[in-house]
PDB file of all heavy atoms in Angstrom:
ATOM      1  N   ALA A   1      21.171  -4.133 -19.848  1.00  0.00           N
ATOM      2  CA  ALA A   1      20.562  -2.883 -20.222  1.00  0.00           C
ATOM      3  C   ALA A   1      19.081  -2.812 -19.819  1.00  0.00           C
ATOM      4  O   ALA A   1      18.632  -1.755 -19.359  1.00  0.00           O
ATOM      5  CB  ALA A   1      20.703  -2.709 -21.762  1.00  0.00           C
ATOM      6  N   LEU A   2      18.405  -3.956 -19.810  1.00  0.00           N
ATOM      7  CA  LEU A   2      17.033  -3.892 -19.428  1.00  0.00           C
ATOM      8  C   LEU A   2      16.919  -3.712 -17.931  1.00  0.00           C
ATOM      9  O   LEU A   2      16.018  -3.000 -17.417  1.00  0.00           O
ATOM     10  CB  LEU A   2      16.345  -5.154 -19.759  1.00  0.00           C
ATOM     11  CG  LEU A   2      16.104  -5.361 -21.339  1.00  0.00           C
ATOM     12  CD1 LEU A   2      15.548  -6.739 -21.681  1.00  0.00           C
ATOM     13  CD2 LEU A   2      15.195  -4.324 -21.888  1.00  0.00           C
ATOM     14  N   ILE A   3      17.830  -4.322 -17.124  1.00  0.00           N
ATOM     15  CA  ILE A   3      17.818  -4.127 -15.709  1.00  0.00           C
ATOM     16  C   ILE A   3      18.132  -2.693 -15.389  1.00  0.00           C
ATOM     17  O   ILE A   3      17.530  -2.045 -14.492  1.00  0.00           O
ATOM     18  CB  ILE A   3      18.802  -5.113 -15.025  1.00  0.00           C
ATOM     19  CG1 ILE A   3      18.208  -6.479 -15.151  1.00  0.00           C
ATOM     20  CG2 ILE A   3      19.121  -4.719 -13.634  1.00  0.00           C
ATOM     21  CD1 ILE A   3      19.149  -7.564 -14.584  1.00  0.00           C
ATOM     22  N   LYS A   4      19.177  -2.017 -16.090  1.00  0.00           N
ATOM     23  CA  LYS A   4      19.457  -0.741 -15.764  1.00  0.00           C
ATOM     24  C   LYS A   4      18.289   0.269 -16.124  1.00  0.00           C
ATOM     25  O   LYS A   4      18.078   1.213 -15.413  1.00  0.00           O
ATOM     26  CB  LYS A   4      20.720  -0.220 -16.670  1.00  0.00           C
ATOM     27  CG  LYS A   4      21.989  -0.712 -16.108  1.00  0.00           C
ATOM     28  CD  LYS A   4      23.112  -0.284 -16.999  1.00  0.00           C
ATOM     29  CE  LYS A   4      24.471  -0.860 -16.616  1.00  0.00           C
ATOM     30  NZ  LYS A   4      25.528  -0.436 -17.545  1.00  0.00           N
ATOM     31  N   ARG A   5      17.541  -0.062 -17.124  1.00  0.00           N
ATOM     32  CA  ARG A   5      16.494   0.830 -17.555  1.00  0.00           C
ATOM     33  C   ARG A   5      15.225   0.656 -16.713  1.00  0.00           C
ATOM     34  O   ARG A   5      14.625   1.642 -16.300  1.00  0.00           O
ATOM     35  CB  ARG A   5      16.115   0.553 -18.987  1.00  0.00           C
ATOM     36  CG  ARG A   5      14.943   1.449 -19.512  1.00  0.00           C
ATOM     37  CD  ARG A   5      14.641   1.237 -20.871  1.00  0.00           C
ATOM     38  NE  ARG A   5      15.746   1.739 -21.778  1.00  0.00           N
ATOM     39  CZ  ARG A   5      15.802   1.446 -23.097  1.00  0.00           C
ATOM     40  NH1 ARG A   5      14.916   0.763 -23.604  1.00  0.00           N
ATOM     41  NH2 ARG A   5      16.769   2.019 -23.721  1.00  0.00           N
ATOM     42  N   TYR A   6      14.828  -0.629 -16.467  1.00  0.00           N
ATOM     43  CA  TYR A   6      13.578  -0.828 -15.829  1.00  0.00           C
ATOM     44  C   TYR A   6      13.581  -1.187 -14.356  1.00  0.00           C
ATOM     45  O   TYR A   6      12.545  -1.096 -13.648  1.00  0.00           O
ATOM     46  CB  TYR A   6      12.730  -1.867 -16.550  1.00  0.00           C
ATOM     47  CG  TYR A   6      12.421  -1.414 -17.960  1.00  0.00           C
ATOM     48  CD1 TYR A   6      13.030  -2.027 -19.067  1.00  0.00           C
ATOM     49  CD2 TYR A   6      11.537  -0.339 -18.178  1.00  0.00           C
ATOM     50  CE1 TYR A   6      12.683  -1.617 -20.364  1.00  0.00           C
ATOM     51  CE2 TYR A   6      11.234   0.095 -19.496  1.00  0.00           C
ATOM     52  CZ  TYR A   6      11.848  -0.589 -20.603  1.00  0.00           C
ATOM     53  OH  TYR A   6      11.515  -0.138 -21.836  1.00  0.00           O
ATOM     54  N   ALA A   7      14.754  -1.647 -13.863  1.00  0.00           N
ATOM     55  CA  ALA A   7      14.785  -2.063 -12.449  1.00  0.00           C
ATOM     56  C   ALA A   7      15.337  -0.952 -11.556  1.00  0.00           C
ATOM     57  O   ALA A   7      16.223  -1.183 -10.691  1.00  0.00           O
ATOM     58  CB  ALA A   7      15.650  -3.342 -12.367  1.00  0.00           C
ATOM     59  N   THR A   8      14.867   0.246 -11.757  1.00  0.00           N
ATOM     60  CA  THR A   8      15.332   1.354 -10.943  1.00  0.00           C
ATOM     61  C   THR A   8      14.473   1.252  -9.623  1.00  0.00           C
ATOM     62  O   THR A   8      13.451   0.618  -9.536  1.00  0.00           O
ATOM     63  CB  THR A   8      15.129   2.693 -11.599  1.00  0.00           C
ATOM     64  OG1 THR A   8      13.692   2.853 -11.844  1.00  0.00           O
ATOM     65  CG2 THR A   8      15.870   2.774 -12.909  1.00  0.00           C
ATOM     66  N   PRO A   9      15.030   1.812  -8.490  1.00  0.00           N
ATOM     67  CA  PRO A   9      14.321   1.676  -7.277  1.00  0.00           C
ATOM     68  C   PRO A   9      12.920   2.309  -7.276  1.00  0.00           C
ATOM     69  O   PRO A   9      11.958   1.739  -6.808  1.00  0.00           O
ATOM     70  CB  PRO A   9      15.210   2.491  -6.314  1.00  0.00           C
ATOM     71  CG  PRO A   9      16.580   2.449  -6.916  1.00  0.00           C
ATOM     72  CD  PRO A   9      16.395   2.373  -8.391  1.00  0.00           C
ATOM     73  N   ASN A  10      12.764   3.423  -8.056  1.00  0.00           N
ATOM     74  CA  ASN A  10      11.376   3.983  -8.135  1.00  0.00           C
ATOM     75  C   ASN A  10      10.439   3.033  -8.852  1.00  0.00           C
ATOM     76  O   ASN A  10       9.242   2.842  -8.471  1.00  0.00           O
ATOM     77  CB  ASN A  10      11.445   5.319  -8.928  1.00  0.00           C
ATOM     78  CG  ASN A  10      12.111   6.366  -8.113  1.00  0.00           C
ATOM     79  OD1 ASN A  10      12.091   6.344  -6.875  1.00  0.00           O
ATOM     80  ND2 ASN A  10      12.713   7.333  -8.720  1.00  0.00           N
ATOM     81  N   ASN A  11      10.854   2.372  -9.922  1.00  0.00           N
ATOM     82  CA  ASN A  11       9.995   1.455 -10.660  1.00  0.00           C
ATOM     83  C   ASN A  11       9.726   0.262  -9.760  1.00  0.00           C
ATOM     84  O   ASN A  11       8.569  -0.278  -9.832  1.00  0.00           O
ATOM     85  CB  ASN A  11      10.710   1.035 -11.969  1.00  0.00           C
ATOM     86  CG  ASN A  11      10.679   2.089 -12.985  1.00  0.00           C
ATOM     87  OD1 ASN A  11      10.011   3.125 -12.865  1.00  0.00           O
ATOM     88  ND2 ASN A  11      11.452   1.989 -13.988  1.00  0.00           N
ATOM     89  N   LEU A  12      10.664  -0.211  -9.032  1.00  0.00           N
ATOM     90  CA  LEU A  12      10.370  -1.391  -8.156  1.00  0.00           C
ATOM     91  C   LEU A  12       9.429  -1.052  -7.118  1.00  0.00           C
ATOM     92  O   LEU A  12       8.560  -1.819  -6.733  1.00  0.00           O
ATOM     93  CB  LEU A  12      11.696  -1.863  -7.587  1.00  0.00           C
ATOM     94  CG  LEU A  12      12.636  -2.488  -8.588  1.00  0.00           C
ATOM     95  CD1 LEU A  12      13.917  -2.930  -7.903  1.00  0.00           C
ATOM     96  CD2 LEU A  12      12.017  -3.687  -9.215  1.00  0.00           C
ATOM     97  N   PHE A  13       9.528   0.199  -6.445  1.00  0.00           N
ATOM     98  CA  PHE A  13       8.647   0.575  -5.475  1.00  0.00           C
ATOM     99  C   PHE A  13       7.212   0.716  -6.036  1.00  0.00           C
ATOM    100  O   PHE A  13       6.214   0.367  -5.366  1.00  0.00           O
ATOM    101  CB  PHE A  13       9.069   1.892  -4.819  1.00  0.00           C
ATOM    102  CG  PHE A  13      10.219   1.771  -3.909  1.00  0.00           C
ATOM    103  CD1 PHE A  13      11.198   2.713  -3.816  1.00  0.00           C
ATOM    104  CD2 PHE A  13      10.390   0.695  -3.061  1.00  0.00           C
ATOM    105  CE1 PHE A  13      12.290   2.632  -3.003  1.00  0.00           C
ATOM    106  CE2 PHE A  13      11.460   0.497  -2.211  1.00  0.00           C
ATOM    107  CZ  PHE A  13      12.433   1.460  -2.139  1.00  0.00           C
ATOM    108  N   LYS A  14       7.058   1.268  -7.226  1.00  0.00           N
ATOM    109  CA  LYS A  14       5.821   1.493  -7.872  1.00  0.00           C
ATOM    110  C   LYS A  14       5.147   0.107  -8.144  1.00  0.00           C
ATOM    111  O   LYS A  14       3.904  -0.116  -7.867  1.00  0.00           O
ATOM    112  CB  LYS A  14       5.829   2.223  -9.195  1.00  0.00           C
ATOM    113  CG  LYS A  14       6.113   3.711  -9.039  1.00  0.00           C
ATOM    114  CD  LYS A  14       6.292   4.378 -10.327  1.00  0.00           C
ATOM    115  CE  LYS A  14       6.702   5.868 -10.175  1.00  0.00           C
ATOM    116  NZ  LYS A  14       6.916   6.520 -11.465  1.00  0.00           N
ATOM    117  N   ALA A  15       5.875  -0.830  -8.706  1.00  0.00           N
ATOM    118  CA  ALA A  15       5.409  -2.171  -8.883  1.00  0.00           C
ATOM    119  C   ALA A  15       4.976  -2.864  -7.638  1.00  0.00           C
ATOM    120  O   ALA A  15       3.980  -3.572  -7.530  1.00  0.00           O
ATOM    121  CB  ALA A  15       6.397  -2.936  -9.775  1.00  0.00           C
ATOM    122  N   ASP A  16       5.820  -2.633  -6.561  1.00  0.00           N
ATOM    123  CA  ASP A  16       5.535  -3.360  -5.349  1.00  0.00           C
ATOM    124  C   ASP A  16       4.322  -2.758  -4.645  1.00  0.00           C
ATOM    125  O   ASP A  16       3.588  -3.454  -4.025  1.00  0.00           O
ATOM    126  CB  ASP A  16       6.790  -3.232  -4.428  1.00  0.00           C
ATOM    127  CG  ASP A  16       6.646  -4.179  -3.233  1.00  0.00           C
ATOM    128  OD1 ASP A  16       6.447  -5.367  -3.454  1.00  0.00           O
ATOM    129  OD2 ASP A  16       6.661  -3.617  -2.046  1.00  0.00           O
ATOM    130  N   GLU A  17       4.064  -1.466  -4.843  1.00  0.00           N
ATOM    131  CA  GLU A  17       2.861  -0.838  -4.240  1.00  0.00           C
ATOM    132  C   GLU A  17       1.531  -1.489  -4.893  1.00  0.00           C
ATOM    133  O   GLU A  17       0.607  -1.745  -4.169  1.00  0.00           O
ATOM    134  CB  GLU A  17       2.820   0.634  -4.460  1.00  0.00           C
ATOM    135  CG  GLU A  17       3.758   1.431  -3.595  1.00  0.00           C
ATOM    136  CD  GLU A  17       3.748   2.948  -3.899  1.00  0.00           C
ATOM    137  OE1 GLU A  17       2.863   3.333  -4.666  1.00  0.00           O
ATOM    138  OE2 GLU A  17       4.624   3.604  -3.335  1.00  0.00           O
ATOM    139  N   LYS A  18       1.612  -1.742  -6.181  1.00  0.00           N
ATOM    140  CA  LYS A  18       0.432  -2.267  -6.861  1.00  0.00           C
ATOM    141  C   LYS A  18       0.261  -3.756  -6.564  1.00  0.00           C
ATOM    142  O   LYS A  18      -0.842  -4.292  -6.307  1.00  0.00           O
ATOM    143  CB  LYS A  18       0.599  -2.075  -8.331  1.00  0.00           C
ATOM    144  CG  LYS A  18       0.551  -0.631  -8.791  1.00  0.00           C
ATOM    145  CD  LYS A  18       0.724  -0.478 -10.266  1.00  0.00           C
ATOM    146  CE  LYS A  18       0.686   1.016 -10.654  1.00  0.00           C
ATOM    147  NZ  LYS A  18       0.939   1.244 -12.077  1.00  0.00           N
ATOM    148  N   LEU A  19       1.356  -4.527  -6.689  1.00  0.00           N
ATOM    149  CA  LEU A  19       1.234  -6.002  -6.618  1.00  0.00           C
ATOM    150  C   LEU A  19       1.651  -6.600  -5.274  1.00  0.00           C
ATOM    151  O   LEU A  19       1.334  -7.813  -5.056  1.00  0.00           O
ATOM    152  CB  LEU A  19       2.184  -6.598  -7.732  1.00  0.00           C
ATOM    153  CG  LEU A  19       1.802  -6.130  -9.132  1.00  0.00           C
ATOM    154  CD1 LEU A  19       2.781  -6.679 -10.165  1.00  0.00           C
ATOM    155  CD2 LEU A  19       0.380  -6.521  -9.532  1.00  0.00           C
ATOM    156  N   ASN A  20       2.354  -5.917  -4.413  1.00  0.00           N
ATOM    157  CA  ASN A  20       2.907  -6.384  -3.175  1.00  0.00           C
ATOM    158  C   ASN A  20       3.746  -7.591  -3.295  1.00  0.00           C
ATOM    159  O   ASN A  20       3.478  -8.656  -2.680  1.00  0.00           O
ATOM    160  CB  ASN A  20       1.718  -6.513  -2.165  1.00  0.00           C
ATOM    161  CG  ASN A  20       2.219  -6.632  -0.781  1.00  0.00           C
ATOM    162  OD1 ASN A  20       3.376  -6.244  -0.442  1.00  0.00           O
ATOM    163  ND2 ASN A  20       1.422  -7.145   0.135  1.00  0.00           N
ATOM    164  N   ILE A  21       4.619  -7.577  -4.249  1.00  0.00           N
ATOM    165  CA  ILE A  21       5.452  -8.760  -4.540  1.00  0.00           C
ATOM    166  C   ILE A  21       6.339  -9.094  -3.394  1.00  0.00           C
ATOM    167  O   ILE A  21       6.522 -10.313  -3.036  1.00  0.00           O
ATOM    168  CB  ILE A  21       6.263  -8.457  -5.840  1.00  0.00           C
ATOM    169  CG1 ILE A  21       5.372  -8.305  -7.084  1.00  0.00           C
ATOM    170  CG2 ILE A  21       7.262  -9.613  -6.141  1.00  0.00           C
ATOM    171  CD1 ILE A  21       6.055  -7.707  -8.276  1.00  0.00           C
ATOM    172  N   SER A  22       6.903  -7.969  -2.842  1.00  0.00           N
ATOM    173  CA  SER A  22       7.903  -8.350  -1.685  1.00  0.00           C
ATOM    174  C   SER A  22       7.190  -8.938  -0.470  1.00  0.00           C
ATOM    175  O   SER A  22       7.740  -9.820   0.097  1.00  0.00           O
ATOM    176  CB  SER A  22       8.606  -6.973  -1.337  1.00  0.00           C
ATOM    177  OG  SER A  22       7.705  -6.097  -0.841  1.00  0.00           O
ATOM    178  N   GLY A  23       6.011  -8.449  -0.178  1.00  0.00           N
ATOM    179  CA  GLY A  23       5.200  -9.024   0.930  1.00  0.00           C
ATOM    180  C   GLY A  23       4.853 -10.448   0.720  1.00  0.00           C
ATOM    181  O   GLY A  23       4.912 -11.278   1.608  1.00  0.00           O
ATOM    182  N   THR A  24       4.432 -10.746  -0.499  1.00  0.00           N
ATOM    183  CA  THR A  24       4.042 -12.167  -0.823  1.00  0.00           C
ATOM    184  C   THR A  24       5.281 -13.053  -0.775  1.00  0.00           C
ATOM    185  O   THR A  24       5.212 -14.144  -0.227  1.00  0.00           O
ATOM    186  CB  THR A  24       3.455 -12.215  -2.268  1.00  0.00           C
ATOM    187  OG1 THR A  24       2.400 -11.266  -2.310  1.00  0.00           O
ATOM    188  CG2 THR A  24       2.971 -13.639  -2.575  1.00  0.00           C
ATOM    189  N   ALA A  25       6.425 -12.557  -1.283  1.00  0.00           N
ATOM    190  CA  ALA A  25       7.635 -13.387  -1.299  1.00  0.00           C
ATOM    191  C   ALA A  25       8.128 -13.547   0.121  1.00  0.00           C
ATOM    192  O   ALA A  25       8.579 -14.686   0.486  1.00  0.00           O
ATOM    193  CB  ALA A  25       8.749 -12.710  -2.131  1.00  0.00           C
ATOM    194  N   MET A  26       8.102 -12.514   0.970  1.00  0.00           N
ATOM    195  CA  MET A  26       8.541 -12.617   2.313  1.00  0.00           C
ATOM    196  C   MET A  26       7.622 -13.581   3.151  1.00  0.00           C
ATOM    197  O   MET A  26       8.092 -14.302   4.022  1.00  0.00           O
ATOM    198  CB  MET A  26       8.627 -11.276   2.979  1.00  0.00           C
ATOM    199  CG  MET A  26       9.833 -10.474   2.473  1.00  0.00           C
ATOM    200  SD  MET A  26      11.419 -11.315   2.585  1.00  0.00           S
ATOM    201  CE  MET A  26      11.651 -11.284   4.328  1.00  0.00           C
ATOM    202  N   SER A  27       6.270 -13.434   2.928  1.00  0.00           N
ATOM    203  CA  SER A  27       5.360 -14.377   3.630  1.00  0.00           C
ATOM    204  C   SER A  27       5.622 -15.746   3.344  1.00  0.00           C
ATOM    205  O   SER A  27       5.329 -16.676   4.134  1.00  0.00           O
ATOM    206  CB  SER A  27       3.953 -13.986   3.354  1.00  0.00           C
ATOM    207  OG  SER A  27       3.588 -14.276   2.013  1.00  0.00           O
ATOM    208  N   LEU A  28       6.171 -16.071   2.149  1.00  0.00           N
ATOM    209  CA  LEU A  28       6.541 -17.447   1.799  1.00  0.00           C
ATOM    210  C   LEU A  28       7.911 -17.900   2.227  1.00  0.00           C
ATOM    211  O   LEU A  28       8.126 -18.955   2.741  1.00  0.00           O
ATOM    212  CB  LEU A  28       6.378 -17.683   0.326  1.00  0.00           C
ATOM    213  CG  LEU A  28       4.998 -17.553  -0.244  1.00  0.00           C
ATOM    214  CD1 LEU A  28       4.986 -17.583  -1.807  1.00  0.00           C
ATOM    215  CD2 LEU A  28       4.009 -18.580   0.314  1.00  0.00           C
ATOM    216  N   LEU A  29       8.844 -16.952   2.051  1.00  0.00           N
ATOM    217  CA  LEU A  29      10.285 -17.316   2.330  1.00  0.00           C
ATOM    218  C   LEU A  29      10.696 -17.270   3.819  1.00  0.00           C
ATOM    219  O   LEU A  29      11.412 -18.032   4.296  1.00  0.00           O
ATOM    220  CB  LEU A  29      11.176 -16.394   1.527  1.00  0.00           C
ATOM    221  CG  LEU A  29      11.104 -16.598  -0.017  1.00  0.00           C
ATOM    222  CD1 LEU A  29      12.038 -15.559  -0.695  1.00  0.00           C
ATOM    223  CD2 LEU A  29      11.512 -17.963  -0.364  1.00  0.00           C
ATOM    224  N   LEU A  30      10.096 -16.263   4.528  1.00  0.00           N
ATOM    225  CA  LEU A  30      10.505 -16.008   5.856  1.00  0.00           C
ATOM    226  C   LEU A  30      10.200 -17.233   6.770  1.00  0.00           C
ATOM    227  O   LEU A  30      11.092 -17.670   7.522  1.00  0.00           O
ATOM    228  CB  LEU A  30       9.821 -14.820   6.395  1.00  0.00           C
ATOM    229  CG  LEU A  30      10.366 -14.175   7.696  1.00  0.00           C
ATOM    230  CD1 LEU A  30      11.892 -13.877   7.554  1.00  0.00           C
ATOM    231  CD2 LEU A  30       9.632 -12.944   8.085  1.00  0.00           C
ATOM    232  N   PRO A  31       8.947 -17.852   6.719  1.00  0.00           N
ATOM    233  CA  PRO A  31       8.745 -19.075   7.539  1.00  0.00           C
ATOM    234  C   PRO A  31       9.707 -20.156   7.239  1.00  0.00           C
ATOM    235  O   PRO A  31      10.193 -20.893   8.087  1.00  0.00           O
ATOM    236  CB  PRO A  31       7.325 -19.425   7.270  1.00  0.00           C
ATOM    237  CG  PRO A  31       6.698 -18.189   6.747  1.00  0.00           C
ATOM    238  CD  PRO A  31       7.815 -17.404   6.084  1.00  0.00           C
ATOM    239  N   MET A  32      10.040 -20.345   5.878  1.00  0.00           N
ATOM    240  CA  MET A  32      10.898 -21.455   5.508  1.00  0.00           C
ATOM    241  C   MET A  32      12.300 -21.188   6.025  1.00  0.00           C
ATOM    242  O   MET A  32      12.942 -22.123   6.592  1.00  0.00           O
ATOM    243  CB  MET A  32      10.882 -21.617   3.963  1.00  0.00           C
ATOM    244  CG  MET A  32       9.617 -22.106   3.402  1.00  0.00           C
ATOM    245  SD  MET A  32       9.452 -22.062   1.640  1.00  0.00           S
ATOM    246  CE  MET A  32      11.050 -22.662   1.100  1.00  0.00           C
ATOM    247  N   VAL A  33      12.759 -20.010   5.970  1.00  0.00           N
ATOM    248  CA  VAL A  33      14.132 -19.724   6.326  1.00  0.00           C
ATOM    249  C   VAL A  33      14.202 -19.848   7.836  1.00  0.00           C
ATOM    250  O   VAL A  33      15.190 -20.398   8.415  1.00  0.00           O
ATOM    251  CB  VAL A  33      14.539 -18.314   5.885  1.00  0.00           C
ATOM    252  CG1 VAL A  33      15.798 -17.875   6.544  1.00  0.00           C
ATOM    253  CG2 VAL A  33      14.704 -18.226   4.383  1.00  0.00           C
ATOM    254  N   MET A  34      13.248 -19.275   8.604  1.00  0.00           N
ATOM    255  CA  MET A  34      13.346 -19.336  10.029  1.00  0.00           C
ATOM    256  C   MET A  34      13.236 -20.810  10.580  1.00  0.00           C
ATOM    257  O   MET A  34      13.959 -21.209  11.461  1.00  0.00           O
ATOM    258  CB  MET A  34      12.219 -18.552  10.656  1.00  0.00           C
ATOM    259  CG  MET A  34      12.408 -17.098  10.262  1.00  0.00           C
ATOM    260  SD  MET A  34      11.943 -15.800  11.448  1.00  0.00           S
ATOM    261  CE  MET A  34      11.956 -16.442  13.026  1.00  0.00           C
ATOM    262  N   ASN A  35      12.389 -21.656   9.934  1.00  0.00           N
ATOM    263  CA  ASN A  35      12.269 -23.045  10.356  1.00  0.00           C
ATOM    264  C   ASN A  35      13.486 -23.805   9.977  1.00  0.00           C
ATOM    265  O   ASN A  35      13.831 -24.802  10.694  1.00  0.00           O
ATOM    266  CB  ASN A  35      11.033 -23.648   9.800  1.00  0.00           C
ATOM    267  CG  ASN A  35       9.774 -23.273  10.600  1.00  0.00           C
ATOM    268  OD1 ASN A  35       9.804 -22.920  11.700  1.00  0.00           O
ATOM    269  ND2 ASN A  35       8.642 -23.192   9.835  1.00  0.00           N
ATOM    270  N   LYS A  36      14.158 -23.472   8.912  1.00  0.00           N
ATOM    271  CA  LYS A  36      15.340 -24.192   8.509  1.00  0.00           C
ATOM    272  C   LYS A  36      16.607 -23.818   9.242  1.00  0.00           C
ATOM    273  O   LYS A  36      17.472 -24.669   9.359  1.00  0.00           O
ATOM    274  CB  LYS A  36      15.618 -24.037   6.977  1.00  0.00           C
ATOM    275  CG  LYS A  36      14.534 -24.649   6.102  1.00  0.00           C
ATOM    276  CD  LYS A  36      14.638 -26.190   6.034  1.00  0.00           C
ATOM    277  CE  LYS A  36      13.649 -26.694   5.147  1.00  0.00           C
ATOM    278  NZ  LYS A  36      13.585 -28.080   5.001  1.00  0.00           N
ATOM    279  N   THR A  37      16.641 -22.547   9.800  1.00  0.00           N
ATOM    280  CA  THR A  37      17.865 -22.114  10.404  1.00  0.00           C
ATOM    281  C   THR A  37      17.759 -22.014  11.953  1.00  0.00           C
ATOM    282  O   THR A  37      18.388 -22.731  12.658  1.00  0.00           O
ATOM    283  CB  THR A  37      18.278 -20.799   9.748  1.00  0.00           C
ATOM    284  OG1 THR A  37      17.184 -19.856   9.997  1.00  0.00           O
ATOM    285  CG2 THR A  37      18.632 -20.902   8.425  1.00  0.00           C
TER     286      THR A  37
END
C-alpha cells in the first residue's frame, strides 16, 4: 500500500530532481557492472 501510494512515477521524478538518486546510483553501479561483464 505504501508503494502504491508514494512510489508513483511523478513522486519518484520529483524526488530524483531534488536528490539525483538515480544519477548517484548509476555513477556507482555502471562502472562496476561494465568492469564485471
